[in-house]
Amino acid sequence: MTDDVSLSALWHEVTGTQPDPEQWLIGATAAVALLAVLTGTPWRLLRNAVTIAHEGGHALVALLTGRQLTAIRLHSDTSGLTVSRGKPHGPGMVLTAAAGYTAPSLLGLAGAWLLASNHITALLWGAVLLLAAMLIMIRNAYGVLSVVLTGAAFFLVSWFAGPDVQAAFAYWSVWFLLIGGVRPVQELQRKRARGRAPSSDADQLARLTHAPATLWVFLFYAVSLGALAGGATLLVD
């Protein structure tokens, strides 16, 4: 009976709603996230979180389109690689290749919707579950370390921190994904302009679809900026 009560209480806590945070906290977390994205050292450290979302997007869409996911690798230079088996062309491959640069922004938009619905705890626990699922497919030590540390941060905050700290961490995380989802697209375009990214997602999509790689970069921009605008509206409203 005690276990049933405990599980029921935990489920109620996860699926229940929490009070709206103060407006100053929402603005402060947005400012801190923006600073983290725009400054050198914090971005180099925290960009791993964006890479996790990027590779997670590839992996999820690969599974949804019927491809066989075989490995995910995360590297210390914040690059990553997701390997799946299936037809080397067709809609499934196109969607899988397109999912990477759009995933962080779309994940941030989904998080903004949860926060706008006052589901702060659900967002934190959802992040833990997604990271745990991704950990199963990680195939290198640095990738395991990155995912475990990120998941541990969400778990510790959700389990031990008070409501104000949970709200601040959740809002900062969502702002970081929304704002941080734009910068990798900018970095991609700069690398392509210098001829340093011949095998980028945009170039792979160009070979798959015969549409210019620049058009795919524009699509990545449109999704990331649209998600930022929509997410900001949800969070501030």
Side-chain angles (χ1 to χ4, degrees):
M1 180 66 71
T2 303
D3 291 341
D4 291 340
V5 172
S6 298
L7 289 174
S8 176
L10 178 61
W11 178 252
H12 177 74
E13 177 68 20
V14 172
T15 58
T17 59
Q18 291 73 43
D20 285 326
E22 299 289 342
Q23 284 295 317
W24 69 264
L25 185 144
I26 298 174
T29 53
V32 174
L34 178 63
L35 187 64
V37 172
L38 294 180
T39 52
T41 301
W43 173 246
R44 285 193 294 273
L45 293 174
L46 295 170
R47 195 188 191 284
N48 283 297
V50 177
T51 303
I52 290 172
H54 179 116
E55 300 305 327
H58 284 312
L60 177 61
V61 174
L63 291 173
L64 292 176
T65 56
R67 299 181 62 80
Q68 182 182 356
L69 184 63
T70 58
I72 302 173
R73 296 179 181 273
L74 306 172
H75 306 132
S76 58
D77 63 354
T78 71
S79 65
L81 177 66
T82 298
V83 180
S84 62
R85 293 178 180 174
K87 292 171 60 177
H89 50 79
M93 189 63 204
V94 171
L95 291 172
T96 299
Y101 278 99
T102 57
S105 298
L106 294 178
L107 189 60
L109 182 60
W113 177 81
L114 280 174
L115 294 182
S117 304
N118 294 350
H119 289 292
I120 295 173
T121 304
L123 181 142
L124 297 174
W125 277 87
V128 173
L129 292 176
L130 288 174
L131 289 164
M134 186 174 179
L135 184 62
I136 298 172
M137 298 307 302
I138 300 292
R139 293 294 182 266
N140 67 321
Y142 183 83
V144 169
L145 180 63
S146 296
V147 173
V148 167
L149 289 178
T150 305
F154 278 92
F155 173 76
L156 291 173
V157 169
S158 66
W159 195 259
F160 295 106
D164 291 340
V165 175
Q166 289 185 6
F169 185 78
Y171 271 82
W172 178 86
S173 299
V174 169
W175 279 120
F176 182 76
L177 284 175
L178 290 171
I179 301 170
V182 179
R183 181 163 177 176
V185 183
Q186 297 174 327
E187 295 172 346
L188 170 64
Q189 184 55 32
R190 285 199 297 267
K191 288 181 180 179
R192 291 193 65 259
R194 299 169 185 169
R196 292 171 52 194
S199 299
S200 71
D201 291 355
D203 291 279
Q204 291 182 42
L205 286 163
R207 289 190 286 271
L208 286 167
T209 63
H210 306 293
T214 304
L215 180 62
W216 287 103
V217 175
F218 175 80
L219 176 63
F220 297 158
Y221 266 124
V223 172
S224 60
L225 292 174
L228 175 57
T233 301
L234 288 169
L235 293 174
V236 174
D237 188 5

